[in-house]
């Protein structure tokens, strides 16, 4: 593979891949080969190869699949640092009129051709960062005694209202809904295994057409028994440091391809600043924002707050009215929920939402009634408080939003192989 | 945590967890504590602790959450090898009438209480094996240059007929279907990145009520550019050896809890036997089975075939009529598909299905038409043959079926935290 060429300098090799680009300079043809592991410039001199091969090198179109043979040379000016002094060329399948040319294309056109767009260097770089981020996330939890708990996708009831749920008929036993979060199931897991994490696709049928929303996205959700809000924040900051520093160390080349300025990413180290919701409201007021206590932050508010810090900021203790029914109240102020959101710098907004969970049976039951949730559907969840309830906490991190931030992208749509948006479920 | 006690022998420790079981012997109370990492016997002598603590130890019910204090002693007869010479006991939340007692319960009762059933040693062992298997699968591909490619769950069209698909309304642009396989998307990924794998939940709305079927299950699907059927079988056998040997090495204790006879699992080493469909048919005929050439194997057939071997067997080159439209035909016999199924020993049936894919545009197009598939929905898939088509192959392994086999279970339902069956989508 192209990534292994450093071990073959001076040797003749044969490589298979696709023609990424080509250019011509009199009696020399430069074919850029891609094989999924890198790019390689293959140089064909008219005198060194047969006329047939030289003509072929001239003729074949972008994305033709080919086999090239030649001698590996170190060449610092080439992409990847090596070059092939080519002697042979075979066509596996000749392509013509490949739709995505080195020219600029509109986003909708690229999205329609997502299956081909994925071949471009930029998309390959994002997918390689995504893969490494997924691995870093799993390594973090696997290395700290957490057990993976895959939650169900098809769930019987709505956690946060049915209006934003995808529903499907489930045989003859009623409707099922695509999960919005594995958290409630993770709580059952934490009572069985102490520390667990879920990591899978989640769904929101929200009619949000912003650059931050996908209808289908991956979320990782750790849940820890015997952990309070402070433990939760400790875990979140250690986690963020680990995953961001891992990507900086292991995907430097890909971040360069994306032209990502990594200055602020390098700051993602413990401790992360922790401010209360009240303090965040003060920041907004000082910035001239007419923000009323008790409201939730919108995206512009998050940008104002996060711009005060040189790394992600944790905002804790939100008004309970803007937070979910399962969050524990602050014993020192019943109006506050023991919640925390982590806001990324550079306007990327919330990447983590977490909380200590309500562990008192009676309080949780009254909360379920207040929210007009169907009690029967939550009996199993109440059982976690009937039998051996313990303080516990957790959080959720959206994979694609985090990737958008780490990669420095304009829109979340490039962070997942086949994005699903309210106006698109193809290809 | 209980798993770390070997470092604390002779020292006083405090542990939090749940009361798993208890027994009494005159002036001694034995409380078995579980904390998700193991079990610990805590011994309360009447003279050593206050009457209050001793009475508490007598009173509290199964699954109460508690905090115990005492000195760690090595005790080979105890579960885990250690014991706590207990001095203190605090109740976090007292439980009574926990539904799952050490007595036997019916399966439906246990399934209704799956959120609590997960706390039993047997279920904890299965979940720990599941976690390690998932990690082994990912480590295998991550360590061999594969890139993870999460395919979409919401897909626009049916790959293998709509009758076995869950469907949902997708805003105002039509129906979407829950994916049955990420393979077609993985093929797009392989053309971009060379070697990819998908690993996520997949869905079948099949009305199958067997011990092998879940409606929601996880599948891993590698896909490799420039790989033929033989390469595919090489990859599959290396993969199976790696994941099974990893579990044998790293989850020995859990397999003991499950009382798994690991004799045959130890045989899962390369090379795995490879027989053609024709040879498999001969085996069936010799065993007195009236099997007609051209039929697909049923579960009893698979059991007969696999019982001839001491390890998983690869059956290749099936009649193309029983296989999917995207499989390449054998150039030496047009009636055969370049497909391979891997059958597990001990009657566990098919755990891997794979094939070389059709890479010829015209053949694939005619196949799509023959199968009356909507061509428009497959245009993107045809593009993979229009632009730089290459020979490529892959396979899928069902996580839960593999776990059922490795754990030696009767039914697939215990291998996933919250199983979804045709008659159940709760809790």
């Amino acid at each position: 593979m192209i990534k292994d060429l450093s071990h073959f300098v001076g040797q003749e090799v044969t490589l298979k891949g696709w023609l990424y680009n080509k250019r011509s300079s009199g009696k020399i043809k430069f074919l850029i080969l891609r094989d999924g592991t890198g790019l390689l410039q293959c140089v064909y001199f008219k005198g060194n190869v047969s006329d047939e091969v030289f003509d072929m090198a001239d003729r074949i179109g972008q994305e033709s699949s080919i086999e090239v043979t030649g001698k590996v040379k170190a060449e610092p000016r080439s992409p990847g640092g090596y070059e092939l002094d080519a002697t042979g060329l075979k066509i596996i399948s000749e392509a013509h009129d490949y739709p995505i040319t080195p020219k600029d294309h509109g986003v909708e056109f690229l999205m329609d051709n997502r299956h081909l767009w994925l071949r471009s260097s930029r998309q390959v770089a994002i997918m390689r960062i995504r893969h490494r981020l997924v691995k870093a996330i799993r390594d973090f939890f696997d290395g700290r005694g957490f057990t993976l708990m895959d939650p169900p996708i098809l769930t019987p009831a709505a956690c946060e209202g049915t209006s934003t749920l995808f529903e499907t008929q489930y045989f003859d036993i009623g409707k099922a809904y695509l999960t919005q979060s594995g958290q409630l199931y993770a709580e059952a897991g934490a009572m069985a295994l102490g520390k667990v994490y879920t990591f899978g696709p989640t769904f929101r049928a929200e009619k949000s057409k912003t650059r931050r929303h996908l209808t289908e996205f991956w979320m990782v959700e750790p849940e820890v028994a015997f952990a309070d809000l402070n433990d939760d924040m400790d875990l979140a900051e250690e986690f963020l440091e680990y995953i961001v520093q891992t990507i900086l160390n292991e995907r430097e080349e890909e971040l360069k391809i994306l032209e990502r300025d990594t200055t602020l990413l390098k700051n993602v180290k413990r401790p992360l600043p922790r401010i209360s919701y009240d303090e965040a409201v003060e920041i907004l007021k000082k910035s001239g924002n007419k923000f009323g206590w008790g409201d939730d932050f919108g995206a512009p508010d998050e940008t104002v707050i996060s711009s005060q810090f040189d790394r992600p900021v944790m905002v804790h203790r939100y008004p309970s009215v803007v937070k979910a029914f399962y969050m524990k109240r602050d014993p020192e102020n019943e109006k506050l929920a023991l919640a925390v959101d982590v806001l990324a710098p550079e306007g990327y907004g919330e990447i983590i939402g977490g909380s200590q969970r309500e562990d008192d049976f009676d309080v949780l039951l009254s909360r379920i009634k207040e929210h007009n949730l169907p009690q029967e559907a939550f009996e199993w969840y109440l059982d976690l408080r009937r039998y051996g309830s313990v303080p516990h906490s957790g959080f959720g991190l959206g994979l694609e939003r985090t990737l958008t931030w780490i990669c420095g992208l304009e829109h979340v749509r490039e962070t997942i192989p086949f994005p699903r948006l309210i106006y698109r479920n193809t290809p």
Side-chain angles (χ1 to χ4, degrees), chain A:
Chain A
M1 310 298 278
I2 291 173
K3 73 173 167 47
D4 306 319
L5 284 183
S6 62
H7 307 301
F8 294 91
V9 175
Q11 296 180 47
E12 187 175 272
V13 298
T14 295
L15 291 158
K16 290 173 182 174
W18 295 265
L19 180 63
Y20 191 61
N21 205 348
K22 63 174 180 177
R23 62 195 173 82
S24 206
S25 171
K27 295 187 171 172
I28 315 179
K29 303 278 169 210
F30 300 93
L31 304 190
I32 312 292
L33 181 79
R34 66 166 191 88
D35 73 349
T37 74
L39 297 178
L40 175 66
Q41 177 159 286
C42 309
V43 186
Y44 289 83
F45 282 96
K46 193 168 173 62
N48 286 3
V49 296
S50 68
D51 285 355
E52 192 196 357
V53 162
F54 196 78
D55 290 346
M56 206 191 288
D58 191 43
R59 188 187 76 220
I60 53 173
Q62 193 190 339
E63 285 301 320
S64 293
S65 46
I66 53 176
E67 185 183 297
V68 300
T69 302
K71 198 182 271 186
V72 181
K73 283 196 336 189
E75 174 51 73
R77 291 167 304 175
S78 268
Y82 300 91
E83 203 172 73
L84 200 74
D85 194 356
T87 52
L89 176 62
K90 282 185 197 164
I91 295 172
I92 299 166
S93 175
E94 199 166 339
H96 289 288
D97 305 317
Y98 183 69
I100 303 176
T101 61
K103 284 180 296 185
D104 271 354
H105 296 282
V107 166
E108 284 312 305
F109 177 82
L110 291 170
M111 295 281 279
D112 286 340
N113 288 287
R114 183 63 176 168
H115 54 294
L116 303 175
W117 189 22
L118 285 170
R119 302 181 184 186
S120 77
S121 287
R122 191 180 153 82
Q123 300 305 314
V124 165
I126 296 171
M127 289 304 126
R128 284 178 49 78
I129 295 172
R130 179 183 170 101
H131 177 199
R132 194 62 189 80
L133 181 60
V134 168
K135 180 169 157 55
I137 289 169
R138 292 185 181 266
D139 285 350
F140 179 85
F141 293 115
D142 293 348
R144 282 160 183 78
F146 285 72
T147 302
L148 175 70
M149 258 279 158
D150 295 310
I153 306 297
L154 294 164
T155 57
C159 189
E160 299 175 30
T162 53
S163 65
T164 59
L165 286 170
F166 290 106
E167 83 173 29
T168 186
Q169 183 62 35
Y170 195 81
F171 301 102
D172 51 4
I173 61 173
K175 300 284 184 196
Y177 304 91
L178 300 192
T179 185
Q180 293 188 310
S181 157
Q183 180 202 312
L184 307 195
Y185 293 98
E187 290 183 55
M191 300 304 127
L193 288 139
K195 297 196 279 187
V196 300
Y197 70 102
T198 70
F199 195 1
T202 52
F203 304 83
R204 301 271 162 101
E206 265 178 62
K207 290 197 173 156
S208 299
K209 215 173 165 174
T210 81
R211 61 190 178 84
R212 291 187 188 185
H213 284 86
L214 293 168
T215 60
E216 177 184 325
F217 58 99
W218 284 63
M219 187 148 65
V220 57
E221 297 176 277
E223 190 73 30
V224 184
F226 304 106
D228 64 16
L229 180 65
N230 281 332
D231 299 325
D232 207 34
M233 291 195 277
D234 291 347
L235 183 69
E237 68 178 5
E238 187 186 355
F239 172 65
L240 275 182
E241 175 180 314
Y242 180 84
I243 61 175
V244 172
Q245 296 303 324
T246 299
I247 294 302
L248 287 174
N249 289 331
E250 309 230 343
R251 288 294 180 265
E252 201 183 341
E253 204 182 306
E254 286 78 6
L255 290 169
K256 265 186 203 148
I257 290 170
L258 300 176
E259 297 172 334
R260 175 64 166 136
D261 177 349
T262 56
T263 315
L264 282 174
L265 290 177
K266 285 180 183 143
N267 290 343
V268 183
K269 293 204 167 156
R270 284 171 288 173
L272 299 184
R274 301 180 186 195
I275 63 170
S276 67
Y277 171 88
D278 287 4
E279 290 167 314
V281 170
E282 280 309 305
I283 289 173
L284 290 176
K285 283 185 179 162
K286 272 185 197 159
S287 80
N289 189 318
K290 285 181 194 159
F291 190 87
W293 194 98
D295 290 347
D296 204 357
F297 302 130
D301 304 319
E302 290 177 351
T303 301
V304 171
I305 298 163
S306 66
S307 68
Q308 307 295 306
F309 302 92
D310 72 345
R311 61 196 70 194
V313 55
M314 304 178 139
V315 184
H316 56 79
R317 292 180 171 77
Y318 282 73
S320 53
V321 289
V322 302
K323 289 293 181 185
F325 76 95
Y326 50 72
M327 293 186 180
K328 195 172 177 69
R329 300 286 158 88
D330 187 348
E332 293 178 13
N333 182 347
E334 278 291 309
K335 285 187 177 166
L336 298 178
L338 292 174
V340 59
D341 283 357
V342 183
L343 310 181
E346 303 172 79
Y348 284 98
E350 184 200 325
I351 45 169
I352 281 182
S355 74
Q356 186 168 339
R357 320 307 187 185
E358 184 52 70
D359 54 345
D360 183 276
F361 178 88
D362 295 324
V363 174
L364 184 63
L365 178 59
S366 67
R367 208 74 60 68
I368 284 170
K369 287 177 178 167
E370 271 168 36
H371 284 73
N372 293 313
L373 294 166
Q375 187 183 331
E376 203 195 324
F378 287 92
E379 282 299 332
W380 72 267
Y381 187 63
L382 285 161
D383 272 355
L384 307 180
R385 281 72 179 171
R386 272 189 192 99
Y387 305 112
S389 188
V390 304
H392 61 290
S393 302
F395 63 78
L397 169 128
L399 178 66
E400 287 79 9
R401 279 199 189 175
T402 306
L403 260 170
T404 307
W405 162 49
I406 291 176
C407 294
L409 304 177
E410 280 291 305
H411 196 294
V412 69
R413 68 188 156 220
E414 284 180 68
T415 60
I416 189 165
F418 293 90
R420 296 297 179 244
L421 303 153
I422 61 165
Y423 49 86
R424 171 180 296 280
N425 69 348
T426 54

